[in-house]
C-alpha cells in the first residue's frame, strides 16, 4: 500500500479507469488528488492526467461570475437542468472562498443546487480556493480535464465574486458570463473596465415579477455604460433563473457564438493560448514554491529581516541577495 495515494487507499489505475467509465465516485477521488499538495498525490494525479489526456478537450467550458446575491447558484442549477434535458452531461466546479485564518470554506453549493445535485448526468464539485489569487481553486484546470475524461461535455466554472477571479476564470474557459442585478444603483456599479473586456455576455438576472421593468431599465443603462468603458461588443441579456425565462435563449446565443468562433479558428487559438499560459503559470508557481521551501533562503530571510529592522540593508538589496542565493541551487 506504500505506493498508493496518501489521502486515498486506492490505486491511481483504479481511479483512472473509473473516471473513464464515468464513475462519479472515482471522479471525485481524482479531483481530491489534483487538489492535494502532498507529493505522492501530485505524482499520482499527474500520472492519471497523462493517461486520460486523449479523452479531454471535447467539452464546452463556461465561466460564470457575479457579485454575491446575484443568483449564480440558481442560474447554474436552472441552466444545468435545461442542458441535461437536452442530452448533455454537466459538471459544475464551484469555487468557495477559504478563510484566511483556518483555510476552511463553506462548500455549500450542493445545498444551493438541490435539484441538479440529484441528477445522474450532473456532477457538482465545490472546492476551496485555498487562498489562491483570483478566487479560482489551484487545480481547477486539471479538475476540468478529469470531468471531460469522465464524459461531461459542458463544464460550468463558478467563481467567488467580482474582482481578480474573473481574470483567472477567463483564462481557462471558452465563454465567460457575468451576472448582474437589476436596480443595483449606479449603472457603472460592478462594471469595471477590465471585467467588461473579459466578459463575453452580461446577463441581468432576477428579471421577474416586480423586478421585470427594473431589469429592462438596468439592461438599457448597462448598454449605455458599455459604450463608455469598453469597445468590446458584449451582449446583454435578461433572464430569471428562478422561473427559467430567458435561459434557453441565452444557451442558444452562447452556442451560436462558440460555433462561429470554431468556424473562424478563434476557438482553437484561444485553447492553444490558454495551454501556453497555463504552462508558464505552473512553471512560475513551481519556481516560487522551490524558492520558499529552500532551507538556505528561509535562513537568509530571517537574517535579512533582522537587518531591515536595524536599517542595515534596503528591501531591494535584500531581494537581490536572496535571488543570488537561490541561483546557486
Amino acid at each position: 500500500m506504500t505506493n498508493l495515494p496518501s489521502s486515498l487507499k486506492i490505486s491511481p489505475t483504479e481511479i483512472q479507469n473509473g473516471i473513464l467509465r464515468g464513475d462519479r465516485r472515482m471522479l471525485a477521488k481524482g479531483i481530491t488528488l489534483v487538489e492535494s499538495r502532498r507529493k505522492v498525490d501530485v505524482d499520482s494525479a499527474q500520472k492519471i492526467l497523462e493517461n486520460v489526456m486523449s479523452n479531454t478537450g471535447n467539452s464546452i467550458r463556461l465561466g460564470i461570475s457575479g457579485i454575491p446575491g446575484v443568483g449564480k447558484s440558481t442560474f447554474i442549477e436552472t441552466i444545468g437542468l435545461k442542458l441535461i434535458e437536452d442530452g448533455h452531461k454537466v459538471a459544475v466546479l464551484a469555487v468557495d472562498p477559504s478563510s484566511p485564518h483556518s483555510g476552511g470554506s463553506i462548500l455549500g453549493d450542493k445545498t444551493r443546487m438541490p435539484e441538479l445535485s440529484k441528477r445522474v448526468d450532473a456532477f457538482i464539485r465545490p472546492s476551496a480556493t485555498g487562498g489562491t489569487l483570483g478566487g479560482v481553486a489551484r487545480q481547477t484546470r486539471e479538475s476540468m480535464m478529469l470531468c471531460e475524461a469522465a464524459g461531461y461535455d459542458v463544464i460550468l466554472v463558478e467563481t467567488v465574486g467580482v474582482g481578480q477571479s474573473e481574470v483567472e476564470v477567463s483564462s481557462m474557459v471558452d465563454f465567460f458570463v457575468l451576472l448582474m442585478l437589476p436596480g443595483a444603483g449606479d449603472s457603472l456599479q460592478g462594471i469595471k473596465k477590465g471585467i467588461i473586456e473579459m466578459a463575453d455576455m452580461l446577463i441581468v438576472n432576477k428579471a421577474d415579477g416586480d423586478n421585470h421593468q427594473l431589469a429592462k431599465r438596468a439592461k438599457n443603462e448597462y448598454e449605455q455604460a458599455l459604450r463608455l468603458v469598453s469597445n468590446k461588443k458584449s451582449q446583454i441579456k435578461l433572464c430569471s433563473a428562478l422561473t427559467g425565462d430567458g435561459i434557453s435563449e441565452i444557451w442558444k446565443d452562447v452556442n451560436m457564438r462558440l460555433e462561429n468562433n470554431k468556424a473562424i479558428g478563434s476557438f482553437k487559438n484561444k485553447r492553444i493560448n490558454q495551454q501556453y499560459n497555463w504552462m508558464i503559470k505552473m512553471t512560475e508557481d513551481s519556481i516560487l514554491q522551490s524558492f520558499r521551501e529552500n532551507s538556505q533562503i528561509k535562513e537568509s530571510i530571517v537574517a535579512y529581516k533582522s537587518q531591515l529592522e536595524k536599517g542595515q540593508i534596503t528591501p531591494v538589496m535584500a531581494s537581490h541577495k536572496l535571488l543570488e542565493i537561490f541561483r546557486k541551487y
Side-chain angles (χ1 to χ4, degrees):
M1 299 291 283
T2 55
N3 294 325
L4 296 183
S6 59
S7 59
L8 308 165
K9 300 306 179 183
I10 186 169
S11 73
T13 301
E14 289 179 86
I15 295 174
Q16 168 195 312
N17 292 339
I19 289 172
L20 293 174
R21 290 195 309 269
D23 187 323
R24 291 192 295 180
R25 177 171 166 268
M26 291 300 170
L27 174 57
K29 289 182 179 295
I31 292 177
T32 296
L33 284 181
V34 302
E35 290 178 345
S36 174
R37 295 173 185 257
R38 298 180 181 183
K39 188 178 186 307
V40 64
D41 294 343
V42 172
D43 292 343
S44 297
Q46 291 309 309
K47 185 181 296 184
I48 293 171
L49 285 163
E50 287 176 13
N51 291 336
V52 304
M53 188 174 294
S54 61
N55 296 85
T56 67
N58 299 315
S59 73
I60 292 174
R61 303 168 180 174
L62 182 66
I64 300 168
S65 194
I67 62 174
V70 76
K72 293 189 295 293
S73 294
T74 305
F75 177 84
I76 290 170
E77 178 169 66
T78 303
I79 199 169
L81 291 170
K82 184 255 185 301
L83 290 170
I84 289 172
E85 289 175 4
D86 291 346
H88 294 283
K89 291 188 67 178
V90 180
V92 179
L93 299 176
V95 186
D96 276 320
S98 298
S99 164
H101 303 294
S102 67
S105 64
I106 299 171
L107 300 179
D109 290 276
K110 286 192 176 182
T111 61
R112 295 197 296 267
M113 305 175 195
E115 292 303 317
L116 187 61
S117 64
K118 296 175 186 175
R119 299 301 180 95
V120 175
D121 288 329
F123 175 81
I124 302 175
R125 176 69 180 211
S127 301
T129 61
T132 302
L133 175 65
V136 178
R138 185 174 59 91
Q139 302 296 352
T140 301
R141 289 177 175 85
E142 293 180 351
S143 297
M144 278 199 305
M145 292 175 65
L146 293 182
C147 290
E148 290 173 340
Y152 293 91
D153 60 334
V154 179
I155 315 291
L156 305 178
V157 183
E158 177 191 5
T159 66
V160 297
V162 173
Q164 182 65 20
S165 56
E166 279 67 37
V167 176
E168 293 291 317
V169 76
S170 67
S171 70
M172 67 177 75
V173 298
D174 305 313
F175 200 89
F176 172 56
V177 167
L178 183 62
L179 297 182
M180 313 295 291
L181 282 170
D186 187 344
S187 60
L188 289 174
Q189 181 178 338
I191 313 187
K192 295 180 180 178
K193 189 173 188 294
I195 296 174
I196 289 300
E197 289 175 341
M198 284 178 281
D200 296 296
M201 181 182 291
L202 274 71
I203 301 172
V204 181
N205 190 24
K206 303 189 178 182
D208 49 59
D210 295 338
N211 275 339
H212 188 71
Q213 289 302 319
L214 200 60
K216 289 176 67 176
R217 185 160 63 247
K219 178 177 181 291
N220 293 332
E221 291 175 353
Y222 288 137
E223 286 173 341
Q224 294 174 17
L226 274 177
R227 299 189 187 100
L228 299 175
V229 300
S230 175
N231 293 322
K232 183 176 179 178
K233 294 182 179 179
S234 299
Q235 289 181 309
I236 303 182
K237 300 291 183 180
L238 291 178
C239 85
S240 169
L242 189 63
T243 66
D245 289 343
I247 297 294
S248 294
E249 291 77 8
I250 286 170
W251 179 248
K252 181 179 178 181
D253 284 347
V254 169
N255 245 328
M256 187 170 61
R257 295 270 295 277
L258 290 177
E259 287 302 317
N260 181 64
N261 290 344
K262 289 177 181 179
I264 63 177
S266 62
F267 183 94
K268 182 179 180 180
N269 289 338
K270 185 174 184 178
R271 285 275 182 101
I272 292 172
N273 288 333
Q274 288 175 346
Q275 290 287 84
Y276 171 78
N277 292 331
W278 184 11
M279 176 188 71
I280 297 299
K281 180 68 165 56
M282 289 295 97
T283 304
E284 291 173 346
D285 287 350
S286 296
I287 292 172
L288 181 58
Q289 184 174 352
S290 297
F291 179 87
R292 287 174 172 169
E293 293 177 351
N294 185 289
S295 58
Q296 188 63 47
I297 292 294
K298 289 180 180 179
E299 292 176 8
S300 299
I301 287 176
V302 173
Y304 291 142
K305 181 181 179 183
S306 177
Q307 292 180 35
L308 285 168
E309 291 172 350
K310 298 173 183 177
Q312 296 173 341
I313 193 172
T314 67
V316 173
M317 189 182 300
S319 173
H320 287 320
K321 288 182 177 293
L322 287 171
L323 288 174
E324 287 175 8
I325 294 169
F326 186 62
R327 290 191 184 103
K328 294 177 182 178
Y329 292 89

